[in-house]
Each structure stands twice: as C-alpha cells, then as structure tokens.
Amino acid sequence: MTTSGFIMLSAQLKRLKGVQVFILRSALAGILLVSFTSQAQMAKNANKFVGNITTRNAVRSDFLTWWNQITPENESKWATVEGTRDVMNWGGVDNVKNFAETNKIPWKFHTLVWGSQYPGWITGLSQADQLAEINEWFDAAHTRYPNVNMIDVVNEAYEANGGKHAPPPFKAALGGTGTSGYDWIANSFKMARQRWPKAILIYNDYNIIEWANEVNWTPTMINAIKKAGAPVDAIGAQAHDAYRIAPATLKSNIDKLAATGLPVFITEFDIPDPTDASQLTTMQNVFPVFWNHPKVVGITYWGYLVGATWKNGTGLLNTNGTERPALTWLKNYIASNPNPPNDFPNFVKGGVGIVPRSSSTPQGPVTLKGPGLMEIFDLQGRMINSLHVNDRTINASMMPSEGSYVVKLNGKFAGIFAKVR
Ligand code: G3I
C-alpha cells in the first residue's frame, strides 16, 4: 500500500464509528502484519536455515528479507585475503561476520584449503615453506574469527576430468595421499580442529549429489579420513548441477552421503534459467527434496540478484527489486512447511551460533563421583587413557601433553579437559 493510500484509508476510518472502525482497523492491522512478517527471513522460524551469499563482495541491505544464513562468495578465499604474501585483507570477511553477528544468523568461512583461488605465490615455495604458510593462514583466520559457526575446511578435492576441480598443488605439504589415501584432507581437518574446537567443520564439493563418480567417491573418502582421525562434522553438497537431476536420484544420492553418519548441508544450490516459468518448475521439483530430507540441516542458494550471479539466469530477485516467481514460491513453500524433518535439530541454530554439540569450551576439572569408567580421548578421537576409578578428579598428569581432551564417564560425554602450560 502506498503512503497516500494509507492516509486516505485513515481519513475514511475517522468518518466511521464504533464496531465498524474496530473491524476495519483490525483488518488493516492484519494486512500490515502479514505483509511485514512475510518479508522477514523466509526460514526464520523453521528448523533448517535457508541462506545466500554476498553480492559483488558486499552484503545487500535487503538480505534479511529472505535469508537467515550467509556465506561470503569470494571474500574469505585465500587468494582474496592474502593475494600478496603476508599482507592480509580481511575487510570483506569482517563485513560478513559483523552482519551475521549483529543479526544473529550463522555464517560460514569459505574456504581454507582449495585447489582454486589460492595465492599464486604459494606454488613457488618449498614444501616446508608451503606448510608454514598454510599454518599461518589457518592461524590468521582463527585469530580473526575464533567464533565462526561453520568452515569449509577442504573444498573440491575430487579430481574431475579435465582437472577443473582438483586438489591444490600444495597437497604434498599437507601430507599427500599418505596411508589413508587422503592424508592431506585428514590433516587439514586436524589442523582446523586444533584452532576451532567448536566450529562445524565441513567437507564441501561439487557434483557429489549429482553425478555417479563423485557421489560414490565421497563417502569412500569421508570414511577413510574419519578412520584416519579427521574431525569432519558435516558434508557440504554444492548442488550446482542439481537442477539437471531427477528428484528421486537427488534424494538417494543424499542418502549415500548420509550413510557416513554425517549431516549434509546443501551449500551452493542455484538454478541457471533466465525463463521465470521453468526456473519456478525446477525450484518446485528440487527444493522440497532438500527441505524434506531428514539428514539435510541447512540450504544455501548461490546468488540472488539477477545479473550479479556467477552463472547467468540463477538470480531470484529482479534488478527492480521484485521477486522472480521461484523466490515467491520458495517463500510461500517454507512458510507452509516450517517443520521439515531434521535428524540433527540442534546441530545449527538460527542464532549466531550453533548450539554446542557438546560443552566444548575447554574446561576442567572433570570429576567422577563414585566408582566408574573414565576414558580420555584426544580431539582426533584416539583413546589416551581408560581407567576404572572411584571419586576421581582428572588432573593434568593424566594427559600426555598440552592440549584439549574429551572425557567420557561411564560411556557418556562428560566434558572437555584442557591441559595448559
Ligand atoms: O577480483 C577480480 C577483479 O579484480 C577482476 O577485475 C575481475 C575481472 O574478471 O575478476 C575478479 O575476480 C573474479 C572473482 O570471482 C571475484 O569477483 C574472478 O575473475 C572470477 O573467476 C571469480 O569467480 C568466482 C568463482 O567461484 C571462482 O572459481 C565466482 O564469483 C564464485 O561464485 C565462484 O564460486 C565457486 C565456489 O567458491 C566454490 N564452488 C563453485 C563455485 C562456482 O565456481
């Protein structure tokens, strides 16, 4: 309703009396309320998030009209931050972090280790210097964003035909294939966990719910790195090609990823289609597969302003600010289905923050009252000590070295014990 329309209606209201005024006023308030609430983050009250990315390296002022999770499109890539060795440019990432924290929505750091958009200078270094630089990059990101909610630790490790998506040229510095076949991936996760005990650590890749080779490779790799002690928390399926795949196939491919036991994020979904009607149909076919899959915990669409997206035709918002039909449908669909199945309801919450999956802030001491079994693990899940005790408090002498350790009492998580200098 325009401002002049509202003034005219108010003037007419003044001419009416009693019940008539009440009814009309209530109706007007209802209209305003509906139009207001329908503009607030589509999935705000749902039990999964629906997010989006930055636009041309900035957060659009209307972001919260639709989305309740944010990923920087390019700002937190290593090449963007450290294009010049040891000169860090955090401006774009700071904007995202501040926006997310101010508005209490989760954000994701994308990405730490990737065979694309890494700084060119790294390839000229010795392996030892490469590893030192990778550690510096992890440290710098951690120092700046110790509380980031989610991190794409490793991105696109599957080697696609033609090498478009490939492991980074510094993979040997991270341990190469090693005994697990994927030591460089496992080590990346261990290095991330050492810095971020609480963040959700994600393996993120292209085509892993779309095309058979990638679909089959991913659980094999995930299981191998888990066996090697990698603290991987979730799988990110980018879903750039999901628009080409039958819904039933998408569903069964998500099942295959979920067989690893990990939750799945849909991280970069987009529908490249400049025709409104067919983009709408694809959205109607594909989005419900993600929304209704119990192992999917959040969905991020990759771009929303027409003309400002990576691929042509993926935008959901016209440049004049009107919604393309796929976006209007999405908004209404989520509003009508706020409670999709979610097997990991506390994994990610709408507020900044993630409900901790455990009380994982280092704490101590941990005490067992009475007799029982006390088990101590390092953060890679390796058992350090197992002892039957009675009224026993853990003390630092039980730990092999400085660090954080998970304590289980009688088979149940009891806390994190930190041994410090
Ligand atoms: O920053 C330079 C700028 O200085 C220069 O003038 C301009 C000229 O082309 O290029 C700018 O860099 C571009 C960069 O985006 C920032 O806008 C690159 O050319 C362009 O290739 C780059 O594209 C990004 C692409 O990743 C790179 O691989 C897309 O915006 C981004 O949407 C896309 O996102 C990736 C995800 O990170 C990972 N999964 C796949 C997805 C699509 O490729």
XYZ file of all heavy atoms in Angstrom, residues 53 57 72-74 77 80 110-111 114 116-117 155-156 164-165 204 206 238 240 268 302 309-311, ligand 1:
273
model
N 24.441 -15.789 -0.405
C 25.833 -15.321 -0.386
C 25.880 -13.803 -0.536
O 24.861 -13.153 -0.718
C 26.644 -15.985 -1.525
C 26.019 -15.684 -2.900
C 26.737 -17.477 -1.282
C 26.841 -16.195 -4.081
N 30.756 -8.774 -3.658
C 31.614 -8.530 -2.494
C 30.978 -7.666 -1.416
O 31.682 -7.019 -0.649
C 32.950 -7.891 -2.908
C 33.761 -8.839 -3.756
O 33.826 -10.025 -3.460
N 34.350 -8.333 -4.822
N 30.249 -15.771 2.468
C 30.895 -14.836 1.541
C 31.220 -15.550 0.228
O 31.807 -16.626 0.243
C 32.188 -14.432 2.268
C 32.199 -15.157 3.576
C 31.102 -16.159 3.600
N 30.831 -14.958 -0.894
C 31.023 -15.643 -2.184
C 32.503 -15.813 -2.499
O 32.942 -16.880 -2.925
C 30.345 -14.878 -3.314
C 30.473 -15.597 -4.662
C 29.784 -14.866 -5.802
O 29.566 -13.639 -5.690
O 29.466 -15.525 -6.813
N 33.280 -14.762 -2.325
C 34.715 -14.809 -2.653
C 35.618 -14.235 -1.560
O 36.828 -14.436 -1.596
C 34.976 -14.018 -3.944
C 34.458 -14.745 -5.174
O 34.892 -15.849 -5.495
N 33.503 -14.137 -5.864
N 38.200 -16.430 0.562
C 39.088 -17.358 -0.142
C 40.522 -16.876 0.052
O 40.784 -15.662 0.139
C 38.705 -17.428 -1.615
C 37.326 -18.071 -1.810
C 36.792 -17.945 -3.209
C 35.427 -18.630 -3.332
N 34.811 -18.417 -4.662
N 41.910 -14.145 -2.123
C 41.322 -12.816 -1.890
C 41.969 -12.174 -0.672
O 42.272 -10.983 -0.665
C 39.800 -12.938 -1.636
O 39.225 -13.758 -2.637
C 39.136 -11.575 -1.618
N 34.428 -19.626 3.888
C 34.561 -20.415 2.652
C 35.763 -19.865 1.885
O 35.667 -18.793 1.323
C 33.274 -20.251 1.838
C 33.329 -20.784 0.441
N 33.282 -22.120 0.161
C 33.423 -20.163 -0.769
C 33.326 -22.290 -1.158
N 33.431 -21.130 -1.746
N 36.900 -20.503 2.006
C 37.226 -21.848 2.415
C 38.709 -21.876 2.788
O 39.461 -21.011 2.331
C 36.917 -22.843 1.263
O 37.443 -24.138 1.578
C 37.542 -22.399 -0.037
N 41.779 -25.221 -0.820
C 41.065 -25.395 -2.096
C 42.071 -25.302 -3.238
O 42.967 -24.459 -3.204
C 39.988 -24.302 -2.238
C 39.101 -24.418 -3.442
C 38.831 -25.527 -4.184
C 38.343 -23.356 -4.048
N 37.942 -25.227 -5.193
C 37.623 -23.895 -5.140
C 38.183 -21.992 -3.760
C 36.781 -23.138 -5.946
C 37.337 -21.243 -4.566
C 36.641 -21.814 -5.643
N 41.732 -24.022 -5.976
C 41.409 -22.876 -6.840
C 41.389 -21.653 -5.939
O 41.182 -21.771 -4.729
C 40.034 -23.099 -7.481
O 39.710 -22.022 -8.331
N 41.598 -20.491 -6.516
C 41.591 -19.246 -5.744
C 42.489 -19.317 -4.499
O 42.133 -18.842 -3.427
C 40.156 -18.842 -5.394
C 39.408 -18.363 -6.648
C 38.001 -17.881 -6.358
O 37.100 -18.690 -6.122
N 37.804 -16.586 -6.360
N 37.767 -27.841 0.184
C 36.797 -27.619 -0.887
C 37.242 -28.355 -2.157
O 38.409 -28.250 -2.559
C 36.731 -26.105 -1.174
C 35.474 -25.679 -1.907
O 34.382 -26.106 -1.566
N 35.646 -24.843 -2.912
N 36.348 -29.119 -2.734
C 36.542 -29.694 -4.069
C 37.827 -30.508 -4.230
O 38.668 -30.212 -5.084
C 36.475 -28.581 -5.132
C 35.138 -27.889 -5.144
C 35.078 -26.678 -6.074
O 36.005 -26.464 -6.867
O 34.087 -25.942 -5.988
N 39.373 -29.452 -13.778
C 38.746 -28.185 -13.406
C 38.628 -28.081 -11.880
O 38.845 -27.029 -11.304
C 37.369 -28.078 -14.058
C 36.772 -26.703 -13.918
C 35.523 -26.544 -14.759
C 34.800 -25.267 -14.358
N 33.408 -25.462 -14.051
N 38.253 -29.203 -11.280
C 38.236 -29.256 -9.823
C 39.303 -30.254 -9.430
O 39.253 -31.403 -9.832
C 36.874 -29.696 -9.309
C 35.786 -28.827 -9.840
N 35.558 -27.569 -9.356
C 34.928 -29.009 -10.863
C 34.591 -27.007 -10.052
N 34.194 -27.861 -10.973
N 33.393 -29.793 1.575
C 32.462 -29.202 0.605
C 32.888 -29.564 -0.823
O 34.058 -29.410 -1.169
C 32.505 -27.669 0.780
C 31.401 -26.956 0.031
O 30.239 -27.338 0.115
N 31.753 -25.899 -0.694
N 31.702 -30.250 -5.272
C 30.897 -30.109 -6.474
C 30.265 -31.445 -6.861
O 30.885 -32.484 -6.694
C 31.902 -29.764 -7.588
C 31.510 -28.684 -8.525
C 31.805 -27.363 -8.251
C 30.870 -29.009 -9.718
C 31.475 -26.371 -9.149
C 30.538 -28.018 -10.614
C 30.842 -26.704 -10.329
O 30.510 -25.718 -11.215
N 27.491 -28.997 -2.958
C 27.289 -27.684 -3.574
C 25.972 -27.616 -4.360
O 25.269 -26.626 -4.325
C 28.477 -27.339 -4.469
C 29.770 -27.178 -3.674
C 30.940 -26.727 -4.523
O 30.805 -26.415 -5.699
N 32.124 -26.704 -3.926
N 25.378 -27.432 -7.624
C 25.268 -26.556 -8.802
C 24.596 -27.247 -9.985
O 24.044 -26.589 -10.857
C 26.654 -26.064 -9.240
C 27.235 -25.039 -8.319
N 26.685 -23.793 -8.146
C 28.325 -25.070 -7.510
C 27.406 -23.097 -7.279
N 28.402 -23.852 -6.871
N 25.556 -24.632 -2.207
C 25.692 -23.667 -3.309
C 24.634 -23.911 -4.384
O 24.900 -23.824 -5.587
C 27.101 -23.753 -3.914
C 28.206 -23.531 -2.895
C 29.612 -23.546 -3.467
O 29.760 -23.464 -4.698
O 30.564 -23.648 -2.675
N 23.053 -19.918 -4.123
C 24.313 -19.254 -4.524
C 24.018 -18.043 -5.410
O 24.093 -18.113 -6.624
C 25.212 -20.274 -5.230
C 26.668 -19.883 -5.270
C 27.368 -19.458 -6.365
C 27.598 -19.892 -4.182
N 28.671 -19.190 -6.019
C 28.847 -19.451 -4.682
C 27.500 -20.212 -2.824
C 29.988 -19.333 -3.887
C 28.637 -20.093 -2.032
C 29.852 -19.664 -2.558
N 25.188 -12.731 -10.528
C 25.468 -14.094 -10.060
C 26.548 -14.740 -10.920
O 26.811 -14.319 -12.044
C 24.197 -14.969 -10.128
O 23.716 -14.961 -11.479
C 23.138 -14.457 -9.191
N 27.151 -15.784 -10.337
C 28.237 -16.480 -11.013
C 27.796 -17.030 -12.361
O 28.477 -16.891 -13.370
C 28.741 -17.596 -10.090
C 29.635 -18.580 -10.744
C 30.814 -18.309 -11.377
C 29.432 -19.988 -10.844
N 31.361 -19.475 -11.860
C 30.532 -20.512 -11.542
C 28.437 -20.860 -10.390
C 30.660 -21.870 -11.803
C 28.565 -22.204 -10.639
C 29.669 -22.697 -11.353
N 26.635 -17.683 -12.380
C 26.119 -18.217 -13.639
C 24.910 -17.393 -14.077
O 24.107 -16.989 -13.222
C 25.657 -19.674 -13.449
C 26.761 -20.688 -13.652
C 26.177 -22.074 -13.865
C 26.340 -22.959 -12.675
N 25.704 -24.254 -12.728
O 38.737 -9.850 -8.220
C 38.919 -9.840 -9.652
C 38.908 -8.447 -10.166
O 39.985 -7.732 -9.622
C 38.953 -8.503 -11.681
O 38.826 -7.202 -12.189
C 37.848 -9.326 -12.255
C 37.914 -9.481 -13.757
O 37.421 -10.716 -14.204
O 37.953 -10.613 -11.711
C 37.803 -10.624 -10.298
O 37.867 -11.941 -9.828
C 36.746 -12.744 -10.093
C 36.209 -13.247 -8.766
O 35.157 -14.149 -8.987
C 35.703 -12.115 -7.883
O 34.649 -11.474 -8.486
C 37.178 -13.908 -10.945
O 37.541 -13.443 -12.234
C 36.061 -14.913 -11.066
O 36.559 -16.076 -11.725
C 35.588 -15.300 -9.694
O 34.549 -16.219 -9.860
C 34.144 -16.882 -8.701
C 34.456 -18.372 -8.846
O 33.983 -19.034 -7.700
C 35.932 -18.638 -8.986
O 36.174 -20.004 -9.032
C 32.647 -16.678 -8.544
O 32.384 -15.314 -8.275
C 32.133 -17.550 -7.428
O 30.713 -17.535 -7.424
C 32.587 -18.983 -7.614
O 32.148 -19.725 -6.519
C 32.535 -21.100 -6.512
C 32.656 -21.501 -5.067
O 33.563 -20.673 -4.402
C 33.060 -22.961 -4.943
N 32.182 -23.800 -5.678
C 31.967 -23.448 -7.045
C 31.517 -22.014 -7.191
C 31.298 -21.697 -8.627
O 32.511 -21.813 -9.347
